[in-house]
Amino acid sequence: MYQIGNIYFITAIAVIGGGLFGFDISSMSAIIGTDQYNCYFAQDGTCGGPKSDVQGGITAAMPGGSFLGALLSGFLSDKLGRKRAIQIGAIIWVIGSIVVCASQNIGMLVVGRVINGLAVGICSAQVPVYISELAPPSKRGRLVGCQQWAITWGIMIMFYISFGCSYLEGPIAFRIPWGMQTIPAILLFIGLFFLPESPRWLGRKDRWEEAHNVLTLVHGHGDPNAKLVQSELRDIKQACEFERQNADVSFMELFKPNMINRTHIGVFTQIWSQLSGMNVLMYYITYVFLMAGLTGNVLLVSSSIQYVINVVMTVPALLYVDRWGRRWTLVIGGLLMQTWLYANAGLMADYGNPAPPGGVNGKAEASWVITGRPSKAVIACTYLFVASFAVTWGPVSWLYPPELFPLRVRGKAVALCTSANWIFNFALSYFVPPAFENIQWRVYLLFGIFCTLMTVHVFFLFPETAGKSLEEVEDMFLTKTQAWKTHVKRNGGTAGSSGGGNGGKGKVSDPENSSN
């Protein structure tokens, strides 16, 4: 079968798996404020929609399923391959979307979203692994970061589809968008047949001829003796030979002394991404803008602007993240996000007032009212927060974890890191609606504190991986290079420490003979 060799086309198809998460976010955020949804799933006999804790449960069902899917993905990926694991995720997504589209009650909706979550968990964990194992080091950040860009496109496209369908009468207004979610998954499933398997996974399975052919196709432009092809093949063989000298891999290996540091870094990269508050604001932006005095179509259009900002502001990160590096991109992102969150908390505390009983327009979650110029400042700070996340933590939180781990544990390690993302997404999705109802503007203060803590954590403990081969990153951890002394490795040389004492040749050291 014909296989695509252009790494950009390979990435474009693979990251559709990330777009599934984006479709899910806006298929909920664009719909929870509509009369059609609130009347159909009402619990009070009127059109008030689900109660705040029930709506939190509906939203949280997807990340709850994603937590399980991410954990499962490591086993699927290691046994069947990166490509087949993603295809399984696509099939599960189609099944879940059909259940969601046909939902007759809240219970059925929750079940469908859990199934969708399983698919998102598998794809979100394994797409970055797949791309990172195919991409050359000089382009790895840009290409893996496309996962986040696909998420932003999925959010924006589905939001406008849902917005257009909001003019329809009755349940069809939300059934059409929920049914259309199957289309990208079908395209992903078919497209993956034309993509090569990860050469690193093939090498681990002793399928060296196939691995060499993939490297020739993707990196050599048909020349099996190209310098990059031979270099990558040599690095993969060295890594695989080292791994054969070690016991079979289990999740417990991620918590051994020679691995626990990078496990903690990878897990907290995903945890902090959620605790920044970005995804929950994406889900519940309509509540924030209701509190700022926006209603009707103005509310939906204003909400959609943040999705456009999210798409546009991800582009600079994709172009320059390999030049900027990972560390400083995350540090600066944390500083900017906390600024806008603290600003919103201050504006709401000083200029806002409690909403009437039952909340704005009968939405208990919209429990605070702010009007006039301060309300416009809240909207502006919200947009600036989205822009700050999109250009920093958005793409880097996906591309950084796969770079931290050696091949023998990468599938399970990234699965564990991604599962941390989803369990915190689950908790926050459930927590935020009642939080808006009960602690009101202090929600912003809470997320601002999280952003302050993440900034300090990254500065002191997160090493730089940009420009380094996956094997050089391994050596950097084995030599216990201090995080703030690591820098971006440039082509043809290193700015600061490359994190290894191997002359930058990517040789993997034996951890039993290295201090860690």
Side-chain angles (χ1 to χ4, degrees), residues 267-338:
V267 166
F268 267 93
T269 300
Q270 294 285 10
I271 289 174
W272 287 131
S273 176
Q274 288 301 321
L275 291 180
S276 70
M278 174 64 173
N279 281 338
V280 293
L281 287 179
M282 284 284 178
Y283 278 126
Y284 301 123
I285 189 65
T286 53
Y287 298 156
V288 176
F289 285 178
L290 268 176
M291 291 186 268
L294 303 181
T295 58
N297 288 338
V298 175
L299 169 63
L300 289 176
V301 172
S302 299
S303 299
S304 74
I305 292 173
Q306 73 161 351
Y307 303 132
V308 177
I309 293 172
N310 202 14
V311 170
V312 173
M313 292 304 295
T314 302
V315 175
L318 299 181
L319 295 176
Y320 300 112
V321 71
D322 287 316
R323 187 177 303 173
W324 297 342
R326 318 303 187 231
R327 276 176 49 77
W328 283 107
T329 301
L330 294 176
V331 168
I332 292 171
L335 290 171
L336 290 172
M337 288 189 294
Q338 65 188 270

Side-chain angles (χ1 to χ4, degrees), residues 12-25:
I13 293 173
V15 297
I16 295 174
L20 301 181
F21 178 34
F23 269 71
D24 178 83
I25 287 177

